[in-house]
């Protein structure tokens, strides 16, 4: 679809990205397209390539705008909020709202997962302390405080 000026995969491309480095993988594009179609539908190679080109260009367009915002703010990392801002700045308001809601839910789920992992690690430490306590003879006048430190009463 795009002429890469005869640059080969092994040759120096003179600073121009090769088509394969610039486009989404065609297999992934086809898989996404099939998800919305009826089960026995077929998709032509041309249709996959067209969507591949459009989706890749759209991603580059939005990412470039988000990247420019980060550059002017002297930041090096583009985050989800920057992408949402770029979508709105480029006139994709209909998509920016749902994307912000998705991002919020994603962050909530990641926070929940981090808390679960934190509690799992705490539980594992508590079990290890209990096993250690069982192997160490203890006197009736000692106990462990809430930090796991052995104390005498």
């Amino acid at each position: 679809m795009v002429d890469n000026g005869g640059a080969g995969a092994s040759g120096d491309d003179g600073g121009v990205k090769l088509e394969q480095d610039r486009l989404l993988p065609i297999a992934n594009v086809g898989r996404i397209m099939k998800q919305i179609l009826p089960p026995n539908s077929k998709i032509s190679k041309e249709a996959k390539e067209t969507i591949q080109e459009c989706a890749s260009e759209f991603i580059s367009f939005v990412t470039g705008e988000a990247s420019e915002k980060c550059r002017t703010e002297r930041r090096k990392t583009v985050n989800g909020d920057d992408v949402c801002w770029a979508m709105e700045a480029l006139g994709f308001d209909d998509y920016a709202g749902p994307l912000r809601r998705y991002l919020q839910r994603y962050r909530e789920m990641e926070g929940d997962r981090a808390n679960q992992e934190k509690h799992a690690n705490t539980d594992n430490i508590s079990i290890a302390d209990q096993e250690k306590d069982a192997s160490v003879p203890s006197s009736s006048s000692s106990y462990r405080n809430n930090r796991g430190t052995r104390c005498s009463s």
Side-chain angles (χ1 to χ4, degrees):
M1 296 212 83
V2 172
D3 181 19
N4 62 7
S10 62
D12 181 17
D13 61 6
V16 177
K17 287 195 176 211
L18 299 177
E19 184 173 1
Q20 68 220 28
D21 295 335
R22 178 179 85 69
L23 298 176
L24 295 169
I26 194 81
N28 293 358
V29 172
R31 198 173 308 119
I32 293 167
M33 291 173 73
K34 278 189 172 238
Q35 289 176 355
I36 197 71
L37 296 172
N40 295 329
S41 298
K42 296 192 186 299
I43 305 168
S44 71
K45 182 179 178 185
E46 180 186 28
K48 290 178 192 175
E49 288 174 348
T50 301
I51 293 295
Q52 177 190 38
E53 184 75 30
C54 291
S56 298
E57 185 63 29
F58 178 76
I59 291 168
S60 295
F61 186 51
V62 173
T63 304
E65 188 73 14
S67 179
E68 182 62 26
K69 176 183 189 274
C70 291
R71 190 185 65 71
T72 59
E73 294 176 1
R74 295 193 168 139
R75 291 187 294 121
K76 292 185 178 184
T77 304
V78 175
N79 62 39
D81 293 319
D82 298 322
V83 173
C84 292
W85 176 89
M87 296 277 278
E88 289 172 343
L90 294 169
F92 297 107
D93 298 341
D94 291 345
Y95 298 99
L99 184 59
R100 281 193 190 283
R101 287 191 297 277
Y102 173 83
L103 183 59
Q104 181 181 357
R105 282 196 316 255
Y106 174 80
R107 287 174 174 164
E108 288 169 359
M109 288 176 49
E110 285 297 304
D112 290 347
R113 187 181 341 181
N115 286 335
Q116 288 174 351
E117 290 174 4
K118 188 178 184 182
H119 290 303
N121 290 339
T122 303
D123 291 345
N124 290 340
I125 292 169
S126 298
I127 291 169
D129 284 344
Q130 290 171 2
E131 289 171 352
K132 190 187 324 179
D133 288 346
S135 66
V136 175
S138 63
S139 67
S140 59
S141 62
S142 67
Y143 66 93
R144 286 199 178 263
N145 66 11
N146 61 354
R147 285 188 239 139
T149 307
R150 188 171 295 281
C151 301
S152 297
S153 52

